[in-house]
Amino acid sequence: MPTGIIAKFGSSISEQNALLVTMLLSQWGGIKIGHDEIVKLPTYFAQSCIPVMHGMPPYDYFAIPPEKGRIPIHRTDVGTIILADLIGAKSCIFVKDEKGCTLTIPRKIQRRSLLHGSAFKNC
């Protein structure tokens, strides 16, 4: 499959996760928004809403192919940072479905050390 199709599949999973987080935050004003709704952020903030956006970069079918293989090089972590930078956010909360907080890639490294206490400030 081409990189763009794989990126589109990854985007759907990210959107499902955003919907889940939105439902968890709904009693406090959580609202799911898409990438094209960034221009509406001031309105959402004025209404005390908590906008939740999926983190996949908005490339979809136009994802940049990697030098080797077909897995998209820009995934949810990059998309979150790109979007936070775009709107000039002072901070960004990135929710990842992994056990614990590590400084390694959890799925690739079997023996990993979880961070505890004050180490979370670096995550």
Side-chain angles (χ1 to χ4, degrees), residues 17-78:
N17 291 339
L19 184 58
L20 177 74
V21 171
T22 302
M23 291 295 105
L24 293 172
L25 294 174
S26 64
Q27 63 181 333
W28 297 285
I31 181 170
K32 183 182 177 301
I33 65 170
H35 292 139
D36 57 340
E37 295 179 88
I38 288 179
V39 295
K40 298 178 185 175
L41 282 176
T43 306
Y44 294 137
F45 291 140
Q47 296 173 357
S48 299
C49 292
I50 303 171
V52 177
M53 182 181 300
H54 71 94
M56 202 69 168
Y59 301 140
D60 289 335
Y61 298 119
F62 306 101
I64 301 164
E67 290 181 23
K68 189 175 185 180
R70 294 187 178 172
I71 302 297
I73 54 175
H74 297 120
R75 289 180 269 198
T76 54
D77 49 351
V78 174

Side-chain angles (χ1 to χ4, degrees), residues 87-104:
I87 63 170
K90 290 181 182 179
S91 64
C92 176
I93 299 172
F94 176 59
V95 179
K96 187 82 174 158
D97 59 345
E98 295 291 339
K99 272 190 172 177
C101 183
T102 68
L103 295 177
T104 59

